Amino acid sequence: MKTAYGKLVALIVLIVVGTLLFAPMRFGGDDYLYPHPRSVRMNPGDSYALSYRLDAADPNQAVTYTSTNEAVAVVDDSGVVTALAGGSARIRLDAANGAKADVRIEVKGAQLDTLALNTDTLNMEKGQITGLKAIFNDDAKDTSVAWSTADEAIAQVDAIGRVAAMGGGSTTVTATAKNGLTASAQINVHVSGDALRITPEAVTVGAGTYVRLNTYYLPEDTTDEVVSWASSDENVLQVQDGTLYAANVGRTILSAFSRDGLGASAVVIVEPPAADFTISPTAATMDRGRTLTLEPRFLDASGNVDENSSAHYITWTSSNPAVCTVEGGVVTAVGTGQARVSASADGRIASCMIDVQTLVESIELNLDKMYVLREDTVIPIQLEAKITPADADNQRLTWTADNDLVASVNQRGLVTLVGGYGTATITATAESGAQDTFTVNVVSELPEGYESPFKEDNSQS
């Protein structure tokens, strides 16, 4: 009995010890997964990469991920969790040999999918400050937006949506969410006018003339505008939408009235028209940046200058203000090209064709002066020219040398030293007359302190 009992006890002990020693290898019972972190709080649209530590005999065994609630959060094969909607979910981690763990996911709020402003339009007075408010879907979590304005000269906006009216006009203020959603409001800034003027305030025209006068406001950025015109004698002057027609000889008062209640007037005198009207010259070539004053002439029936009509009002226009502008007969050349400047007076139109060119104003060579030993004259010198302005029309240069016993130059600025002692001046000349020069001196001995520019070349040879 004792012997049998002892053998039974020994067998039980052996089985227990064997189980403890060999069970992990057989069943993976001693493999452990430690995820990090154990819980994650997220907002809809956020992503988070899970990590873990695996204590196992085979640390390289595969680990798979699954979500218990894919309506709340999903997970990919690499453990990146993406939050979809508010709620809870668990991400299960399963090792190939049986170790398991999970991570709790809490998604707070919903993804921002609606963004609007409290108004589509703000009508403001210059100097006024008011605010815009961003409106989101009720369960949105991240409601931060960035504010911007299309024109800060009209309206400025700060980080919390406060809008400051800076100047007259209309612009757009926009709120942009992190996910790219935008909402905008139109900002209309009104600037009241203090004064209205018609310019000129006194004008003389020939009968039969159509003319349009200008209006001038104080302050200049007022948003006021003329809404009606009137003539005190429509038999002399008829007006419609600001366009005047001088019907008959006489004198009248022209009046303008603005939307905000301002008024202005001008005296209009209608005289007999001149028989003809011309301007001089009828064609001109101008350098960019220069001005030219055109001379108008009113002529009588005999073709002589009509002094009686010399004060008649002239309207000046340019067919292409990017090429030239005109004011009071003074033409300013703005850019290369052609434009027609027209003058209208007494029912007649005269014109001048303007051709604007951009000439080379200056040339700057890369070298100014050089001393060369006679034994170095086998080495050519390349000159480079910097032309101003860089967009000059004709940038072709003419290269000349004044002493062909010392040096010659080709039309690419390459100077060849012919071997003679002495001095030669190389000149680069533009068609406009702009010039720059380079002087080369071939000597038997370099001036004291002067280093040969070919020293490195000689040492290499």
Side-chain angles (χ1 to χ4, degrees):
M1 291 288 292
K2 291 183 179 178
T3 303
Y5 179 77
K7 289 181 180 181
L8 179 60
V9 171
L11 179 59
I12 293 172
V13 171
L14 181 61
I15 291 172
V16 171
V17 171
T19 301
L20 294 174
L21 289 175
F22 299 107
M25 291 189 295
R26 292 194 304 258
F27 306 110
D30 284 345
D31 290 2
Y32 294 99
L33 269 173
Y34 299 99
H36 178 77
R38 297 304 299 266
S39 63
V40 181
R41 290 180 179 271
M42 305 176 68
N43 294 317
D46 290 349
S47 294
Y48 190 90
L50 299 178
S51 61
Y52 64 85
R53 179 171 60 87
L54 175 60
D55 289 343
D58 178 13
N60 297 318
Q61 60 187 279
V63 175
T64 58
Y65 303 87
T66 55
S67 171
T68 62
N69 189 347
E70 291 193 341
V72 172
V74 293
V75 62
D76 65 15
D77 293 340
S78 62
V80 176
V81 180
T82 301
L84 300 181
S88 299
R90 288 187 178 274
I91 304 300
R92 294 182 58 86
L93 288 75
D94 292 281
N97 287 346
K100 303 177 183 297
D102 58 37
V103 176
R104 182 175 178 81
I105 304 296
E106 291 288 341
V107 181
K108 297 296 184 181
Q111 187 171 1
L112 174 65
D113 54 23
T114 301
L115 173 60
L117 299 183
N118 58 321
T119 182
D120 294 331
T121 305
L122 273 182
N123 296 313
M124 305 176 66
E125 293 289 334
K126 181 179 179 180
Q128 182 182 356
I129 297 176
T130 188
L132 288 172
K133 181 180 179 182
I135 301 172
F136 317 92
N137 47 297
D138 293 338
D139 50 354
K141 178 63 177 176
D142 188 351
T143 57
S144 59
V145 295
W147 295 90
S148 62
T149 178
D151 190 342
E152 290 196 345
I154 296 175
Q156 297 180 0
V157 61
D158 66 12
I160 60 174
R162 288 183 303 187
V163 180
M166 307 302 294
S170 296
T171 189
T172 301
V173 168
T174 301
T176 304
K178 288 182 178 179
N179 64 359
L181 285 178
T182 62
S184 299
Q186 180 173 310
I187 311 300
N188 302 315
V189 179
H190 177 259
V191 181
S192 298
D194 297 327
L196 170 66
R197 289 176 54 192
I198 300 174
T199 56
E201 293 181 334
V203 62
T204 301
V205 298
T209 300
Y210 285 92
V211 65
R212 191 175 185 90
L213 301 184
N214 298 317
T215 52
Y216 176 79
Y217 292 88
L218 287 175
E220 293 185 4
D221 65 343
T222 179
T223 54
D224 196 5
E225 60 183 356
V226 172
V227 293
S228 64
W229 297 80
S231 169
S232 63
D233 189 343
E234 292 193 351
N235 184 54
V236 174
L237 181 71
Q238 299 168 7
V239 57
Q240 184 175 8
D241 296 330
T243 299
L244 316 179
Y245 174 66
N248 295 289
V249 173
R251 179 188 179 98
T252 186
I253 302 297
L254 173 68
S255 298
F257 304 95
S258 79
R259 182 185 57 236
D260 290 346
L262 297 176
S265 62
V267 176
V268 179
I269 299 172
V270 181
E271 295 181 345
D276 200 3
F277 172 70
T278 65
I279 58 174
S280 178
T282 56
T285 298
M286 301 177 63
D287 298 342
R288 187 175 72 181
R290 301 294 179 86
T291 60
L292 171 68
T293 300
L294 300 179
E295 182 181 351
R297 293 192 183 96
F298 291 91
L299 305 177
D300 60 22
S302 301
N304 299 317
V305 174
D306 185 354
E307 297 291 351
N308 293 328
S309 302
S310 60
H312 286 189
Y313 186 71
I314 303 170
T315 300
W316 297 90
T317 58
S318 169
S319 66
N320 191 347
V323 172
C324 67
T325 60
V326 60
E327 185 173 353
V330 178
V331 179
T332 301
V334 177
T336 299
Q338 288 188 328
R340 183 178 296 278
V341 173
S342 299
S344 175
D346 286 10
R348 298 180 178 274
I349 297 176
S351 63
C352 173
M353 182 59 70
I354 302 294
D355 188 354
V356 178
Q357 59 185 2
T358 302
L359 299 180
V360 175
E361 297 175 3
S362 65
I363 301 169
E364 183 180 352
L365 297 180
N366 60 320
L367 298 173
D368 178 48
K369 181 188 293 186
M370 184 181 291
Y371 291 92
V372 180
L373 293 172
R374 185 173 182 181
E375 55 264 33
D376 291 334
T377 56
V378 295
I379 303 172
I381 303 167
Q382 181 63 62
L383 296 178
E384 303 289 344
K386 179 183 177 182
I387 292 174
T388 302
D391 61 345
D393 296 331
N394 185 354
Q395 299 190 18
R396 186 176 66 84
L397 302 179
T398 301
W399 298 84
T400 58
D402 69 350
N403 188 346
D404 56 9
L405 297 177
V406 174
S408 63
V409 63
N410 67 15
Q411 293 309 301
R412 295 188 300 275
L414 183 66
V415 179
T416 300
L417 302 175
V418 299
Y421 288 110
T423 300
T425 300
I426 310 300
T427 303
T429 305
E431 189 178 79
S432 65
Q435 289 185 336
D436 196 17
T437 60
F438 161 69
T439 303
V440 59
N441 303 278
V442 178
V443 295
S444 59
E445 185 177 346
L446 295 176
E448 185 177 351
Y450 185 88
E451 240 181 67
S452 170
F454 305 114
K455 181 176 181 182
E456 183 178 346
D457 294 330
N458 289 338
S459 63
Q460 291 176 348
S461 62

